Amino acid sequence: MPMLMINRIAADNRLEPLSFSVDNGEIVHFIGPNGSGKSTAIGLISGLFSTDGNVTLEGMELTDYDLVSLARVRSYMSQQDKLNFAIPIYQYLLMSFTALGEVKDVIKQAAIDEVCGYLGIADKLSRSIQELSGGEWQRVRLASACLQVWPALNPDAKYLLLDEPAASLDIGQEASMYKLIRKIASQGVAVIMANHDLNRTLREADKVVLLEAGYCIAVGSAQEVMIVSQLEKVFGTGIVKVNYQGIENLVFVD
């Protein structure tokens, strides 16, 4: 039985009924043009917003979880979130552990060191979040979301939701982010994310959900969903798939 079942979730004028399943450790990418419903779908799967249909985690509906229990089983990073008060990055990251109960300090520190090492922010922990660039703040937010479901800290963790986590990241930072995502997924935590880099989706995703104007066009593996003719129709541009040294890439053409 799949770990997570999404059954006909919908939102008026933003997302038509959508159904699919997610297995433990699976990496799922939502793709589609701006306004296609990616953020709406991810928000509904978080359990924080009301929806038609339902989302069940190992047979239990998310509506039956209280907020603390929900915070233990999943983490949700929204597309944009800016705090209006000053706090050191390290203190901000410690807030990720609020719902996790008693965790030894040495385990917390090891997790912070590893996650921040992946994201290149280990040398910034004493700085205020108000001093950060857009890319630095994005990486801090990503670190916080990952720490909440880091398996060594949280054995109850099941899935991580990321809404366009690569926004504001440069090429190297994006590559490190994907290494971190694979690390989390390899430990059994599913990752569900919205993504605009179709070549990353082609290489990184176990499952792809293609949306257009709130409708689900296709769900399946990258090879099943990312058919050139289908992508051209949805994105309204010419696309060529090329193979270089055994690696497939999509090239966008006029």
Side-chain angles (χ1 to χ4, degrees), residues 8-152:
R8 296 185 62 78
I9 60 171
D12 290 344
N13 302 318
R14 290 177 292 159
L15 185 69
E16 297 300 320
L18 171 65
S19 301
F20 66 99
S21 63
V22 182
D23 292 321
N24 295 89
E26 192 169 33
I27 298 175
V28 180
H29 282 205
F30 279 96
I31 62 172
N34 290 336
S36 60
K38 302 185 297 295
S39 295
T40 298
I42 287 177
L44 295 179
I45 297 169
S46 76
L48 293 178
F49 308 99
S50 60
T51 174
D52 297 329
N54 59 73
V55 179
T56 59
L57 176 62
E58 296 182 334
M60 181 174 172
E61 291 196 23
L62 290 191
T63 52
D64 292 332
Y65 284 84
D66 59 39
L67 289 178
V68 173
S69 299
L70 194 59
R72 287 187 63 85
V73 296
R74 69 93 187 93
S75 180
Y76 168 49
M77 177 179 145
S78 60
Q79 191 174 120
Q80 295 184 357
D81 178 29
K82 186 65 174 178
L83 298 183
N84 294 319
F85 56 89
I87 183 174
I89 293 170
Y90 188 81
Q91 295 298 319
Y92 176 79
L93 293 179
L94 289 179
M95 294 167 61
S96 308
F97 310 135
T98 303
L100 305 187
E102 293 295 325
V103 180
K104 292 182 179 179
D105 288 343
V106 66
I107 299 177
K108 288 182 182 178
Q109 190 61 56
I112 289 173
D113 290 344
E114 186 169 7
V115 171
C116 292
Y118 269 102
L119 297 173
I121 56 173
D123 61 339
K124 299 176 173 61
L125 299 183
S126 63
R127 292 172 58 185
S128 167
I129 60 173
Q130 298 297 331
E131 300 172 353
L132 301 179
S133 69
E136 289 170 337
W137 173 234
Q138 185 76 346
R139 284 180 283 155
V140 169
R141 294 178 63 228
L142 182 59
S144 176
C146 292
L147 287 169
Q148 187 178 330
V149 291
W150 196 249

Side-chain angles (χ1 to χ4, degrees), residues 115-230:
V115 171
C116 292
Y118 269 102
L119 297 173
I121 56 173
D123 61 339
K124 299 176 173 61
L125 299 183
S126 63
R127 292 172 58 185
S128 167
I129 60 173
Q130 298 297 331
E131 300 172 353
L132 301 179
S133 69
E136 289 170 337
W137 173 234
Q138 185 76 346
R139 284 180 283 155
V140 169
R141 294 178 63 228
L142 182 59
S144 176
C146 292
L147 287 169
Q148 187 178 330
V149 291
W150 196 249
L153 294 167
N154 181 5
D156 296 329
K158 299 299 180 182
Y159 65 105
L160 169 64
L161 295 160
L162 303 172
D163 192 354
E164 297 190 21
S168 302
L169 303 187
D170 63 33
I171 295 173
Q173 294 162 358
E174 183 179 321
S176 297
M177 180 197 75
Y178 279 103
K179 289 179 183 178
L180 177 58
I181 286 172
R182 286 197 297 270
K183 170 78 171 182
I184 292 173
S186 72
Q187 298 177 79
V189 176
V191 180
I192 305 169
M193 59 182 285
N195 187 46
H196 276 296
D197 187 337
L198 298 188
N199 282 312
R200 279 290 182 183
T201 295
L202 193 62
R203 295 191 292 271
E204 303 283 351
D206 300 312
K207 181 174 289 177
V208 179
V209 183
L210 175 60
L211 300 178
E212 181 183 20
Y215 289 88
C216 180
I217 304 303
V219 178
S221 69
Q223 292 298 325
E224 291 170 333
V225 172
M226 301 182 76
I227 301 166
V228 168
S229 59
Q230 184 161 256

